[in-house]
Amino acid sequence: MVVLRKVVIVGDGAAGIIAANKLRFHTSEKELDIVVIGNTPRHFYKPDGVLIPFGYKNYRKSVKPVNFLLNYSITYMKDEVIRINPDENILFLKSGKSVIADYIILATGDRYTPEEIPGYDGEAKHFFDLQNAMELREYMKTFQGGQVFIGSSSEIMQYPESLYEFAFLLDSYLSQNNLRDKTSINLTVPQTDLSPEPNTSSTLEKMLKERGIEYHGGVVIQSVNPKNKEVTDKKGQTYKYSLLVLTPPHHGQEFIKNSGIADENGYAIVEPNTLTVKGNKTLFAIGDANNLTKSKSATTAHAQASFVASAIVSEIVGGLREDKLTSKLPEFSLTGYNSGFSFFDLPGKVSRDVNPNKGDFMLRWTSADTYFSTILRGMV
Ligand SMILES: Cc1cc2nc3c(=O)[nH]c(=O)nc-3n(C[C@H](O)[C@H](O)[C@H](O)COP(=O)(O)OP(=O)(O)OC[C@H]3O[C@@H](n4cnc5c(N)ncnc54)[C@H](O)[C@@H]3O)c2cc1C
């Protein structure tokens, strides 16, 4: 006799959608009831956040309704989880409902907390969500040159590579608009290096120098002084700006912290080999929501969603499960002037050759289409 089980996925972003679609591919409706609870019914392809401020991409191509992205027979509930009982797999929702499930997958990403940085609000700009990327677009239309400071106020952040991508694209945009000689660009990153791969770091540093972009590693901004137009980092070093592009602090969601399963930054503490939370074999946390990495990425979210889906499928219908958590998708970095390069995030295994070219730029340019039609659908 087939026993119907229920999985609830909390979070309607990359990790949650991929996990739901992969589970539906491998189980029937009689075997598994799949519910996604999320509070963002229109899903934004975040990598396009670096293109939108320069008018290189229309935002409409970077957004799709979650309902459209979920495969058949997956229930989507627009709601918000406010608490979880991790011992009994019960979720409490903002609407007053509660949900109980055989399996729960937390895929709730990051929470931005700009209020932690004095002076940030109303002064700093960023491109880490659609609204802010579009506001920066409006600002760039009127930009006539000045001192641009690019940095992060958080050591934990999504795709730190996006900071140097933004700097390269800014350089190329300003040159096209005859504003480059009126502008200085100062790029800082929170990590000590631009990439975990030494070859990549040194090539990128060389390219930044050639483009006249000043660069400093290991810089985490702690305060903004709008009156003096300067920022101060955690070592007490100050930097001047006239345009401040600063990514906000990142944390896990409040309900994870309030449910007693989070680390000091609010991310769910998971077993690295199973992605299960706090000794509970049926509660998982994947993607940006867990505590495994400081540099968060969609390729990691994809690998973790596939891994957990395969573990649940193998328990319900049998068959082999993925035994390793390895990233399977290439990543791309844009370097301005219609160029980019691709790499695999396999630290220590490959020496990355950075060779910016038009082919990789084109793949990155069309990556939103691949993401919506193939990756999110669970096809790879
Ligand atoms: C500018 C930028 C560029 C990037 N470029 C790349 C790149 O080139 N390559 C790459 O691999 N990665 C890149 N990333 C990182 C990548 O986008 C993230 O790592 C990825 O989106 C993480 O997916 P996720 O599902 O874990 O989180 P998210 O996509 O953030 O999804 C979390 C979802 O959970 C929902 N949620 C939160 N709390 C609750 C709650 N309490 N109840 C219900 N729902 C809730 C949120 O509304 C959201 O929809 C980039 C990120 C940015 C910001």
Side-chain angles (χ1 to χ4, degrees):
M1 194 183 71
V2 179
V3 181
L4 177 66
R5 315 279 181 89
K6 179 169 181 160
V7 60
V8 175
I9 296 158
V10 188
D12 45 5
I17 295 172
I18 295 169
N21 284 338
K22 289 225 172 230
L23 284 164
R24 185 74 302 152
F25 264 133
H26 298 293
T27 56
S28 75
E29 294 156 276
K30 289 193 179 133
E31 290 161 337
L32 190 64
D33 180 16
I34 305 173
V35 177
V36 175
I37 302 173
N39 55 8
T40 308
R42 286 168 67 74
H43 180 65
F44 171 50
Y45 179 57
K46 289 185 218 170
D48 281 353
V50 295
L51 295 166
I52 288 168
F54 305 110
Y56 290 151
K57 196 138 193 202
N58 185 316
Y59 78 94
R60 287 193 181 84
K61 291 196 180 254
S62 313
V63 181
K64 293 264 182 284
V66 172
N67 257 330
F68 168 81
L69 298 167
L70 291 171
N71 290 343
Y72 80 100
S73 196
I74 294 172
T75 307
Y76 178 53
M77 283 173 74
K78 188 188 169 304
D79 212 322
E80 194 173 305
V81 170
I82 52 168
R83 196 163 62 81
I84 173 171
N85 174 339
D87 301 319
E88 295 179 50
N89 276 10
I90 306 174
L91 296 161
F92 300 92
L93 311 186
K94 200 172 176 182
S95 61
K97 293 179 195 151
S98 56
V99 182
I100 186 157
D102 296 298
Y103 300 94
I104 292 176
I105 304 176
L106 303 177
T108 44
D110 308 272
R111 181 170 56 97
Y112 301 146
T113 54
E115 64 279 5
E116 273 179 48
I117 306 293
Y120 186 105
D121 222 17
E123 181 71 357
K125 309 201 180 302
H126 73 86
F127 50 89
F128 266 46
D129 57 36
L130 181 56
Q131 179 164 339
N132 279 282
M134 287 172 69
E135 281 173 19
L136 188 48
R137 169 72 197 129
E138 287 311 304
Y139 183 88
M140 289 312 298
K141 282 182 190 167
T142 61
F143 184 72
Q144 289 304 316
Q147 251 178 316
V148 185
F149 178 90
I150 303 163
S152 174
S153 57
S154 194
E155 226 171 303
I156 299 178
M157 68 176 289
Q158 294 165 80
Y159 211 62
E161 291 86 345
S162 63
L163 294 173
Y164 70 71
E165 287 191 291
F166 187 86
F168 281 130
L169 288 166
L170 177 66
D171 168 57
S172 143
Y173 170 85
L174 294 172
S175 298
Q176 282 162 358
N177 289 283
N178 300 321
L179 290 167
R180 186 64 184 95
D181 52 0
K182 296 185 190 132
T183 310
S184 65
I185 306 176
N186 191 350
L187 166 70
T188 64
V189 298
Q191 293 76 18
T192 43
D193 295 304
L194 286 164
S195 159
E197 218 301 308
N199 279 354
T200 308
S201 285
S202 60
T203 312
L204 287 170
E205 275 190 47
K206 205 168 136 235
M207 286 171 61
L208 289 168
K209 209 168 182 181
E210 282 163 10
R211 306 263 185 98
I213 299 170
E214 198 181 323
Y215 158 71
H216 302 276
V219 176
V220 181
I221 297 303
Q222 283 200 319
S223 65
V224 179
N225 183 335
K227 203 164 144 239
N228 295 349
K229 295 274 174 201
E230 64 183 25
V231 287
T232 306
D233 76 0
K234 64 177 184 189
K235 297 175 200 148
Q237 176 78 41
T238 57
Y239 301 88
K240 288 274 181 198
Y241 66 82
S242 59
L243 167 58
L244 175 61
V245 181
L246 187 65
T247 59
H250 285 46
H251 291 285
Q253 303 297 343
E254 282 280 333
F255 84 91
I256 295 183
K257 193 170 87 190
N258 297 340
S259 307
I261 54 173
D263 69 2
E264 67 281 10
N265 296 304
Y267 293 102
I269 303 169
V270 293
E271 276 297 322
N273 298 328
T274 56
L275 303 181
T276 49
V277 175
K278 216 188 169 187
N280 177 339
K281 291 196 167 70
T282 52
L283 173 63
F284 302 85
I286 60 172
D288 291 7
N290 72 33
N291 68 329
L292 289 188
T293 53
K294 282 188 171 174
S295 302
K296 316 258 177 197
S297 76
T299 49
T300 302
H302 171 264
Q304 294 185 353
S306 309
F307 181 81
V308 165
S310 121
I312 294 175
V313 169
S314 124
E315 228 174 85
I316 295 175
V317 294
L320 288 179
R321 51 172 289 179
E322 289 179 18
D323 60 346
K324 277 204 191 92
L325 242 176
T326 38
S327 177
K328 300 168 200 75
L329 298 174
E331 301 198 40
F332 296 95
S333 277
L334 292 167
T335 45
Y337 303 98
N338 295 350
S339 70
F341 65 95
S342 57
F343 57 90
F344 279 92
D345 193 9
L346 299 169
K349 294 229 169 113
V350 283
S351 176
R352 296 176 194 157
D353 256 349
V354 179
N355 179 18
N357 61 83
K358 184 119 192 208
D360 281 337
F361 166 77
M362 290 307 290
L363 285 173
R364 169 63 177 82
W365 185 256
T366 52
S367 62
D369 301 329
T370 319
Y371 176 75
F372 288 130
S373 64
T374 312
I375 297 170
L376 281 188
R377 292 269 170 212
M379 312 278 270
V380 287

